[in-house]
């Protein structure tokens, strides 16, 4: 859990170093697995060749993934996993001689990475502002941000009307649309926005009805952040394409993967060589990253990881209930291991003036938290002890009392 600074302080990493770490820093089992692998094979071109660690990882992932997602394409990180999904969706229709079906739909408040394609499907934000000219056009539709409902409804009296905008768009334009991309149930960098399960279920039904592919970007939510191995499991839906990264190696090495169904992959099975998916990164399927990922999944198999997650989620729930009563708190949100507090602020948003003050306050007290503007969230490695997590919430409570 701890980062040790040069001047001898200890800092609790309460955000898993940008949401990647699952089982603690320098986890000895993962470290040993990488060392073992390095003595056998460090890396191998994954075009025309394969290696044991990659084959093992594909087989291990299959155990956890919906059985329809049978095909896996390795890449380097979350952004490239997204790029691959978008390109697969577009070329899928191209190969089927439906090139007009090439447009993408994405959600308001979405974040999918910092490369050009991933930035295009991400919503406008300070991250994308200087790069307007590099972002290709996409359709942007409402997300289910209940606290700031785009339709002015409240969750108690709504029937997920926010999905109506997507419904209308698909009714009018599905012939031109290849895919809808979503962060399932939890929009991360956009403000830790938790969606009602019904929203994702409705999106799935609409995509099916209109013959549009659904891409679930599970880069953040994957590997049990939401309490289930994948957020799509919580909603009981299967996307056509899924992007995974971050926690895949337990937070040790960069790796991304994009999964897809027989239907998507089928369009690439062809004698016609122009139907090939010409996309490959040098370090695709890196053997050391695969070894780390295999050990990560082994830890899920033989340590009580889901018990740890349940304990963590329970504490999140209890402490958020206390915070909700504070007048400085607009809303609290939780899904599994993620707990968030949206603070009342005149300048709500990523550039809120609260952010630098909060960040420094937390760090001064030995807690690494990086608020998303006026949204403070906790997303710790699963090995956090209950007293450490309580300490993180104590510091958040103190910050709200002191700074707001
Ligand atoms: C949902 C989601 N997709 C994609 C990415 C991009 O991942 P990476 O930073 O590994 O490129 C992120 C990163 O935060 C993310 O949260």
């Amino acid at each position: 859990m701890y980062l040790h600074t040069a001047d001898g302080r200890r800092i609790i990493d309460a955000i898993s170093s940008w949401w990647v770490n699952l089982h603690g820093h320098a986890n000895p089992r993962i470290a040993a697995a990488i060392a073992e692998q390095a003595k056998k094979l460090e890396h191998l071109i994954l075009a025309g060749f394969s290696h044991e660690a990659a084959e093992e990882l594909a087989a291990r992932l299959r155990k956890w993934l919906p059985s329809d997602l049978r095909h896996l394409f390795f890449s380097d990180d979350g952004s490239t996993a997204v790029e691959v999904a978008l390109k697969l969706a577009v070329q899928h229709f191209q190969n089927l001689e439906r090139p007009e079906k090439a447009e993408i739909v994405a959600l308001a408040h979405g974040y999918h990475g910092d490369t050009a394609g991933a930035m295009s499907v991400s919503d406008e934000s300070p991250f994308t502002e200087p790069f307007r000219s590099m972002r290709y056009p996409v359709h942007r539709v409402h997300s289910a941000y209940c606290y700031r409902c785009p339709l002015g409804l409240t969750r108690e009296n709504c029937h997920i009307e926010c999905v109506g905008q997507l419904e209308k768009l698909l009714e009018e334009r599905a012939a031109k649309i290849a895919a809808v991309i979503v962060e399932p149930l939890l929009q991360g960098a956009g403000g830790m926005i938790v969606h009602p399960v019904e929203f994702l279920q409705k999106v799935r039904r609409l995509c099916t009805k209109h013959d549009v592919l659904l891409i679930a970007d599970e880069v953040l939510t994957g590997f049990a952040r939401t309490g289930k191995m994948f957020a799509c499991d919580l909603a009981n839906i299967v996307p056509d394409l899924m992007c995974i990264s971050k926690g895949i190696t337990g937070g040790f090495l960069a790796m991304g993967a994009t999964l897809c169904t027989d239907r998507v992959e089928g369009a690439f099975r062809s004698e016609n060589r122009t139907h090939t998916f010409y996309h490959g990164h040098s370090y695709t399927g890196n053997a050391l990253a695969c070894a780390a990922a295999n050990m990560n999944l082994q830890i899920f198999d033989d340590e009580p990881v889901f018990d740890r997650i349940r304990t963590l989620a329970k504490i999140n729930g209890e402490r958020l209930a206390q915070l909700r009563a504070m007048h400085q708190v607009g809303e609290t949100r939780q899904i599994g291991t993620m707990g968030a507090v949206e603070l009342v602020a005149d300048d709500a948003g990523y550039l809120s003036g609260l952010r630098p003050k909060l960040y420094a306050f937390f760090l001064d007290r030995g807690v690494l938290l990086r608020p998303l503007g006026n949204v403070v969230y906790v997303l710790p490695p699963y090995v956090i002890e209950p007293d450490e997590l309580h300490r993180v919430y104590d510091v958040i409570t103190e910050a709200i009392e002191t700074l707001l």
Side-chain angles (χ1 to χ4, degrees):
M1 273 311 301
Y2 289 97
L3 306 172
H4 300 265
T5 65
D7 59 1
R9 286 176 303 123
R10 281 197 327 171
I11 296 172
I12 298 184
D13 184 354
I15 52 158
S16 305
S17 280
W18 259 340
W19 323 339
V20 300
N21 192 291
L22 303 185
H23 312 299
H25 289 285
N27 179 290
R29 297 184 69 189
I30 301 179
I34 295 171
E36 269 315 297
Q37 180 63 44
K39 291 179 212 156
K40 288 192 280 190
L41 175 73
E42 77 303 331
H43 184 65
L44 167 74
I45 178 172
L46 216 74
F49 284 78
S50 185
H51 56 76
E52 281 173 9
E55 300 290 326
E56 182 185 333
L57 178 55
R60 279 180 180 272
L61 282 169
R62 204 174 249 201
K63 180 183 143 191
W64 291 102
L65 285 158
S67 57
D68 287 355
L69 295 175
R70 296 197 327 120
H71 305 277
L72 180 152
F73 191 96
F74 284 114
S75 60
D76 292 348
D77 51 40
S79 301
T80 53
V82 168
E83 300 283 355
V84 168
L86 296 168
K87 288 173 71 174
L88 280 174
V90 169
Q91 194 180 341
H92 165 83
F93 288 111
Q94 175 90 28
N95 286 358
L96 296 178
E97 288 173 19
R98 297 166 75 189
E100 71 289 352
K101 241 172 124 57
E103 296 171 2
I104 307 289
V105 184
L107 298 187
H109 310 292
Y111 176 79
H112 299 282
D114 287 345
T115 53
M119 214 172 38
S120 303
V121 287
S122 302
D123 202 356
E124 271 174 42
S125 74
F127 314 147
T128 64
E129 184 55 33
F131 311 109
R132 278 168 179 255
S133 63
M134 293 174 66
R135 295 172 72 220
Y136 59 73
V138 304
H139 299 281
R140 181 89 38 208
V141 295
H142 291 326
S143 110
Y145 189 178
C146 302
Y147 179 58
R148 298 176 190 277
C149 173
L151 302 174
L153 303 172
T154 57
R155 184 67 196 96
E156 295 70 45
N157 67 14
C158 96
H159 301 93
I160 320 288
E161 282 85 347
C162 52
V163 86
Q165 206 183 24
L166 174 66
E167 185 167 21
K168 186 159 175 289
L169 177 68
L170 294 184
E171 270 162 16
E172 286 168 3
R173 224 181 145 77
K176 302 254 183 219
I177 292 173
V180 175
I181 182 165
V182 298
E183 291 160 88
L185 300 185
L186 173 63
Q187 291 185 294
M192 293 295 161
I193 300 164
V194 179
H195 294 167
V197 167
E198 296 86 341
F199 178 78
L200 181 58
Q201 292 168 335
K202 285 190 183 213
V203 172
R204 172 66 278 183
R205 279 201 290 277
L206 286 172
C207 287
T208 306
K209 180 172 169 198
H210 293 283
D211 190 26
V212 163
L213 300 173
L214 175 61
I215 303 172
D217 174 355
E218 294 247 16
V219 168
L220 159 62
T221 48
F223 302 95
R225 293 289 182 197
T226 64
K228 291 267 192 190
M229 200 58 157
F230 297 100
C232 288
D233 302 340
L234 263 183
N236 227 349
I237 64 126
V238 180
D240 302 286
L241 294 127
M242 186 192 276
C243 312
I244 56 177
S245 181
K246 288 199 186 274
I248 190 170
T249 61
F252 270 67
L253 285 162
M255 162 169 269
T258 305
L259 298 129
C260 72
T261 58
D262 281 347
R263 177 200 163 180
V264 175
E265 192 259 2
F268 295 84
R269 284 196 179 274
S270 165
E271 294 298 313
N272 181 345
R273 290 174 67 203
T274 66
H275 287 180
T276 301
F277 185 55
Y278 287 112
H279 184 118
H281 298 283
S282 314
Y283 280 98
T284 273
N286 174 257
L288 303 180
C290 287
N294 284 325
M295 185 50 77
N296 169 37
L297 292 175
Q298 184 64 41
I299 291 173
F300 272 95
D301 281 344
D302 57 24
E303 294 187 24
V305 179
F306 282 97
D307 291 345
R308 291 176 192 150
I309 286 171
R310 274 188 286 275
T311 305
L312 213 165
K314 187 162 170 285
I315 297 173
N316 276 346
E318 289 163 5
R319 295 303 300 253
L320 290 171
Q322 291 168 7
L323 287 169
R324 200 173 309 135
M326 298 177 78
H327 68 89
Q328 303 94 326
V329 171
E331 191 190 44
T332 59
R333 302 188 272 272
Q334 187 196 354
I335 185 163
T337 69
M338 193 294 298
V341 184
E342 178 155 350
L343 299 168
V344 176
D346 294 337
D347 60 350
Y350 193 78
L351 297 182
S352 167
L354 277 175
R355 199 274 181 192
K357 292 184 212 157
L358 288 162
Y359 179 74
F361 187 96
F362 297 139
L363 217 45
D364 261 4
R365 283 151 188 79
V367 178
L368 172 56
L369 288 168
R370 284 174 58 95
L372 295 157
N374 57 315
V375 177
V376 178
Y377 70 92
V378 176
L379 193 94
Y382 305 149
V383 290
I384 192 167
E385 292 291 340
D387 59 331
E388 291 166 336
L389 186 53
H390 280 295
R391 159 101 187 114
V392 173
Y393 276 106
D394 288 346
V395 170
I396 293 174
T397 311
E398 193 192 339
I400 297 173
E401 282 164 352
T402 313
L403 298 177
L404 277 102

